[in-house]
Amino acid sequence: PLKLQSSGLHVSVLAFYRQPKMKLELCSFSGYKIHPGHGRRVTKVDGKTFFFLNSKSESLFFQRKNPRKIAWTVLYRRKHKKGITEEAAKKRTRRIQKFQRAIVGVTEEKLKDLRNQKPEMREAQRAQAIRQAKEANKAKDAKKKADKSKTAAVKGSAPKAAQNVKKSAPRVGGKR
């Protein structure tokens, strides 16, 4: 009963609003909400639990019917875009605006020159850059070889200690 007091609402009304929300399940076949005290819960041997709103959806589920092909299910309605408001369905796509982003250290004039450059010129510049990179790699490899030969000469001057390596015994018993 609703009784208003000068200080506020009656205690029983406040207690109603403080109650925890009902736990609603979803039907595994139809997708409809199942309120407490309704429906049926099925647990398979492998531990999977299914909730069914009624025997109709349970029966169709165990017949392995596809809910996307049955007109009254939520999945069918989603797939065929039923009941969607028109505003949400018709979203306008914005056209992409093209603009030139600045590159650090390159002016707009230089960018225009590069864009208007002939392919032959571009190929020549690329070949030159590759040649320079190869020369730098060769110089680096030569330096590595020189360092390696120096370290080998230093190590080679020290006498090596002879090690006795015992030969393993022959195998017996044929194929394994």
Side-chain angles (χ1 to χ4, degrees):
L2 273 166
K3 292 182 183 176
L4 293 174
Q5 295 178 344
S6 59
S7 63
L9 293 173
H10 191 262
V11 180
S12 63
V13 174
L14 291 174
F16 172 76
Y17 285 112
R18 270 194 229 127
Q19 285 178 346
K21 297 283 182 191
M22 294 186 297
K23 175 75 172 132
L24 297 182
E25 301 292 345
L26 282 180
C27 179
S28 298
F29 183 79
S30 66
Y32 288 127
K33 291 176 189 170
I34 304 172
H35 288 80
H38 294 267
R40 189 182 281 184
R41 175 184 296 175
V42 175
T43 306
K44 284 194 168 182
V45 179
D46 61 356
K48 288 182 184 171
T49 305
F50 300 100
F51 298 95
F52 299 109
L53 180 64
N54 51 23
S55 60
K56 175 181 173 181
S57 55
E58 184 182 359
S59 171
L60 290 167
F61 178 84
F62 287 118
Q63 291 174 45
R64 297 187 181 277
K65 299 287 185 195
N66 188 351
R68 287 164 193 85
K69 291 182 179 179
I70 295 175
W72 54 269
T73 62
V74 172
L75 286 169
Y76 176 92
R77 294 182 66 78
R78 270 197 209 126
K79 182 183 175 188
H80 295 87
K81 296 178 177 68
K82 305 287 182 188
I84 299 173
T85 56
E86 287 184 36
E87 300 126 30
K90 293 183 182 178
K91 285 187 179 178
R92 293 274 169 106
T93 55
R94 290 178 62 187
R95 291 215 171 150
I96 304 164
Q97 294 178 338
K98 290 186 179 180
F99 65 95
Q100 187 64 48
R101 288 182 71 180
I103 301 170
V104 178
V106 182
T107 60
E108 283 187 40
E109 294 83 36
K110 194 170 181 183
L111 273 174
K112 284 181 184 175
D113 292 342
L114 286 170
R115 202 175 284 129
N116 297 332
Q117 205 176 51
K118 289 190 173 155
E120 298 87 34
M121 182 75 169
R122 203 173 284 145
E123 279 296 319
Q125 284 180 341
R126 189 164 175 239
Q128 185 183 0
I130 290 170
R131 212 176 301 117
Q132 286 176 347
K134 282 184 180 178
E135 286 172 9
N137 276 343
K138 278 185 184 177
K140 199 162 80 172
D141 288 346
K143 189 178 176 189
K144 271 188 181 178
K145 272 191 179 179
D147 288 346
K148 199 173 186 181
S149 63
K150 281 182 186 176
T151 55
V154 172
K155 281 185 179 178
S157 61
K160 277 192 173 178
Q163 290 182 343
N164 293 337
V165 180
K166 202 171 189 183
K167 202 172 185 184
S168 63
R171 283 190 168 169
V172 182
K175 281 189 176 178
R176 291 186 191 173

